[in-house]
Amino acid sequence: MAVITLREQGQERVLSCKEGQSILDTLLENEIYASAACGGRGRCGKCRIRLLKGELPVTAGDRKLLKEEELEQGIRLSCLAYPKEDCVIRLLVQKDEEFDILSEAAASKELPEEKEYGIAVDIGTTTLAMVLVGLESGSTHRSYSAVNRQRAYGADVISRIQASNEGKGPELTASIRQDLKKGIEELIREEGIWPEAVKKITIAGNTTMGHLLMGYSCENLGVYPFRPVNIDVITGSFEEILGAGEGCPDCPVTLLPGISTYVGGDILSGLLSCGFDDSPEFCVLVDLGTNGEMAAGNRDRILVTSTAAGPAFEGGNISWGMGSVAGAICNVEITQGMASVKTIGGKPPMGLCGTGVIETAAELVRCGCVDETGRLDEAYFKEGFPLAKAPDGKDIVFTQKDVREIQLAKSAVRAGLETLLKRLDVPAEQIGKVYLAGGFGFHMNQEKAVEIGLLPKRFADRLKTVGNSSLAGAIRYLLDPDAPEKAERIRKAAREVELSSDSDFNEFYMEYMYFEPDI
């Protein structure tokens, strides 16, 4: 056993690292959050630490993802660091990431006095959002958002499933329950109400998030035939759903039902918020994140599917990728071979968020620096195309690998959508609105998304951003007494299209890999 001394902000914390245990696992075991988008597999390079004292051998993974001068400065990847002796370290990542998270619109300045409240929650793979709603007026009083700290076990649901199956399920359950209780407590405290005033809590989330919250086994979520333990409506006491501790002890908690393993309660909630339960018009819902979930249909017939887009739309697996935080490049224009950028909050550029990735790819294609096959111009092939200078003077670049990541992501989403529309067999002119859900869809430049082929050009005039539709549906479930019946109507109308063995999907996937004009 080695003793790890963690130095942060002038304070020290002493941790015990078991033999054969990585420093990353030691940090997580002690509830110290460190981003590990790849799930601690040495691929993303996010979980960096600096060795201040002691010895941590340089691994092949360190050499692959870190520069020589960084290695000389004692920088290592914590997931690959297995100390043999006592050492002193410092985290080089933020303990928490302040993502630009979509919750509900800000509360109005003049709100009626309420006797009873409800809380609606959206558990996203990356972020959490919740709002405090007056049950009498339907007004939003407070909102709360935070990072889903399960990110420390991987950026996507597959990583979380693997972590759960490797014995970390109880830690994942404890993590999300703590996050939710913290948010609920903060909403109550800020509003200055008694916990007993909260009469209902509704939660929407994807199937994996629901399983991890409930402590279910995830063994069958990642292997054929992908059978979930339970995706029906789940209602229980606060303690049954969120565990013992502070909170709203007398308040029932409801998890919205899902449709399938990979089209969960968050998408059903989004369909509810967009009125699919009552719409005679054919519409489309696309929720872009780590996974690309989508639905097409109307009140009588809805086809749904999910495609693994990977984390590129959230800055994952991108050389200078980062979440939607202050300093993330979100807007890019290239003129005469020179890039001009804008960042979230107008802060000095630190890296690229998902919208910045889309804009960079579109601009590189438009100016001819990336050809239709996705090959970066020879002048930038080795070092990448420079976008801006980071505060430390390093070039923030977009590399050939980054182009390939966005190609894979956009092709998967577009192929899934085209397959769904082909199965729906409805003429394009009969498709009404195309709803874009989620934070990425809300901030995305639609024109540039169409330019790279992520979204169909034929629907460009019908695109409508709807923000956090999962949270909006959870609010509707709180307020509308008929919402449970409407949600069940959507479930009965929905049928999943499985893409893994679909020949049309495979053809579309290859077709939309290219950056060609979408006629």
Side-chain angles (χ1 to χ4, degrees):
M1 180 180 291
V3 174
I4 307 296
T5 301
L6 175 64
R7 285 186 185 169
E8 287 187 294
Q9 300 175 341
Q11 297 183 335
E12 291 190 350
R13 185 170 174 184
V14 178
L15 313 171
S16 296
C17 183
K18 304 182 187 76
E19 186 176 350
Q21 184 178 47
S22 71
I23 288 181
L24 175 63
D25 283 339
T26 302
L27 294 171
L28 297 178
E29 194 174 80
N30 287 274
E31 298 184 3
I32 298 169
Y33 175 78
S35 181
C38 67
R41 289 170 171 77
R43 297 172 188 162
C44 69
K46 304 289 186 186
C47 63
R48 301 181 183 203
I49 56 172
R50 173 171 280 144
L51 179 67
L52 303 177
K53 189 176 180 182
E55 184 175 347
L56 287 173
V58 177
T59 67
D62 290 328
R63 293 195 183 281
K64 184 176 180 181
L65 293 172
L66 301 173
K67 295 179 180 178
E68 193 60 40
E69 57 264 34
E70 291 176 320
L71 297 174
E72 291 172 1
Q73 293 167 7
I75 297 176
R76 304 286 188 271
L77 301 180
S78 64
C79 66
L80 301 178
Y82 292 83
K84 300 294 185 184
E85 59 182 56
D86 297 350
C87 56
V88 181
I89 65 168
R90 176 176 289 126
L91 280 175
L92 292 185
V93 294
Q94 298 177 15
K95 280 181 64 180
D96 210 345
E97 300 161 86
E98 297 177 359
F99 283 77
D100 182 17
I101 304 168
L102 282 182
S103 55
E104 272 300 290
S108 59
K109 292 181 180 178
E110 295 183 8
L111 288 168
E113 290 186 13
E114 308 273 358
K115 293 181 180 178
E116 297 184 343
Y117 294 85
I119 295 176
V121 180
D122 167 50
I123 304 178
T125 309
T126 303
T127 58
L128 310 173
M130 58 181 76
V131 293
L132 182 71
V133 179
L135 295 180
E136 296 163 273
S137 68
S139 301
T140 297
H141 285 246
R142 300 271 173 185
S143 64
Y144 171 88
S145 57
V147 170
N148 183 340
R149 291 163 66 88
Q150 289 178 340
R151 273 179 64 84
Y153 299 87
D156 53 39
V157 294
I158 300 300
S159 299
R160 311 271 173 92
I161 290 170
Q162 290 175 343
S164 175
N165 293 342
E166 290 167 2
K168 295 177 181 176
E171 291 131 87
L172 286 156
T173 297
S175 174
I176 189 59
R177 287 181 171 183
Q178 288 168 10
D179 282 350
L180 293 180
K181 284 189 283 192
K182 178 183 176 183
I184 291 167
E185 288 167 14
E186 186 163 320
L187 286 175
I188 291 170
R189 184 177 65 251
E190 287 188 355
E191 188 65 15
I193 60 175
W194 293 103
E196 290 78 10
V198 179
K199 301 300 182 182
K200 296 180 187 177
I201 296 175
T202 56
I203 300 175
N206 67 48
T207 302
T208 302
M209 295 304 102
H211 274 51
L212 294 175
L213 174 63
M214 297 303 299
Y216 294 154
S217 168
C218 292
E219 288 183 4
N220 292 325
L221 295 185
V223 294
Y224 187 82
F226 310 108
R227 287 183 181 148
V229 174
N230 184 8
I231 56 172
D232 294 332
V233 178
I234 300 172
T235 299
S237 68
F238 189 93
E239 184 173 337
E240 286 171 332
I241 306 295
L242 297 174
E246 297 293 322
C248 310
D250 300 322
C251 176
V253 180
T254 299
L255 270 69
L256 271 66
I259 295 170
S260 70
T261 296
Y262 287 110
V263 183
D266 52 345
I267 301 305
L268 184 140
S269 187
L271 292 169
L272 181 65
S273 73
C274 293
F276 273 67
D277 59 287
D278 193 42
S279 174
E281 180 181 53
F282 288 98
C283 296
V284 173
L285 173 69
V286 180
D287 193 333
L288 293 178
T290 311
N291 294 306
E293 291 127 340
M294 53 202 78
N298 62 6
R299 63 190 178 193
D300 300 315
R301 177 175 172 241
I302 303 171
L303 299 184
V304 300
T305 196
S306 175
T307 182
F313 293 142
E314 293 174 337
N317 291 351
I318 301 296
S319 303
W320 280 84
M322 62 189 297
S324 298
V325 301
I329 294 171
C330 56
N331 175 259
V332 179
E333 291 185 7
I334 298 175
T335 306
Q336 296 181 343
M338 299 289 290
S340 61
V341 305
K342 293 179 182 177
T343 66
I344 294 175
K347 302 294 184 182
M350 303 289 290
L352 281 162
C353 64
T355 54
V357 171
I358 291 287
E359 297 223 352
T360 301
E363 286 291 290
L364 289 172
V365 171
R366 183 189 57 77
C367 73
C369 289
V370 166
D371 67 18
E372 69 276 4
T373 70
R375 182 177 173 83
L376 194 57
D377 187 274
E378 197 66 40
Y380 311 109
F381 190 82
K382 256 186 145 179
E383 302 295 331
F385 187 93
L387 297 173
K389 290 277 187 186
D392 62 3
K394 292 180 181 177
D395 283 327
I396 296 175
V397 298
F398 202 73
T399 68
Q400 179 64 70
K401 173 184 171 294
D402 299 335
V403 177
R404 296 303 184 208
E405 288 289 342
I406 194 61
Q407 275 186 282
L408 293 169
K410 71 104 177 178
S411 181
V413 169
R414 181 64 184 277
L417 180 57
E418 294 293 344
T419 304
L420 209 60
L421 292 169
K422 185 172 182 178
R423 293 289 172 274
L424 189 65
D425 194 24
V426 171
E429 58 270 18
Q430 289 187 25
I431 300 292
K433 294 182 179 65
V434 177
Y435 298 105
L436 301 179
F440 177 74
F442 185 80
H443 294 293
M444 179 178 65
N445 183 311
Q446 295 176 8
E447 184 179 332
K448 290 184 178 180
V450 169
E451 283 179 11
I452 66 168
L454 173 61
L455 298 171
K457 186 176 181 180
R458 63 188 185 275
F459 296 145
D461 61 343
R462 284 168 263 181
L463 299 175
K464 180 180 179 180
T465 56
V466 291
N468 192 334
S469 63
S470 175
L471 184 60
I475 294 172
R476 186 175 179 187
Y477 207 92
L478 269 182
L479 298 173
D480 183 353
D482 296 326
E485 180 187 335
K486 293 173 180 177
E488 190 57 33
R489 198 151 63 229
I490 290 172
R491 284 189 86 193
K492 288 180 178 177
R495 181 173 66 82
E496 184 176 24
V497 176
E498 172 57 52
L499 298 178
S500 61
S501 58
D502 191 291
S503 58
D504 287 324
F505 173 77
N506 292 328
E507 287 183 22
F508 283 133
Y509 185 75
M510 296 308 298
E511 178 183 348
Y512 290 107
M513 189 73 70
Y514 290 90
F515 292 113
E516 292 182 325
D518 185 10
I519 306 300

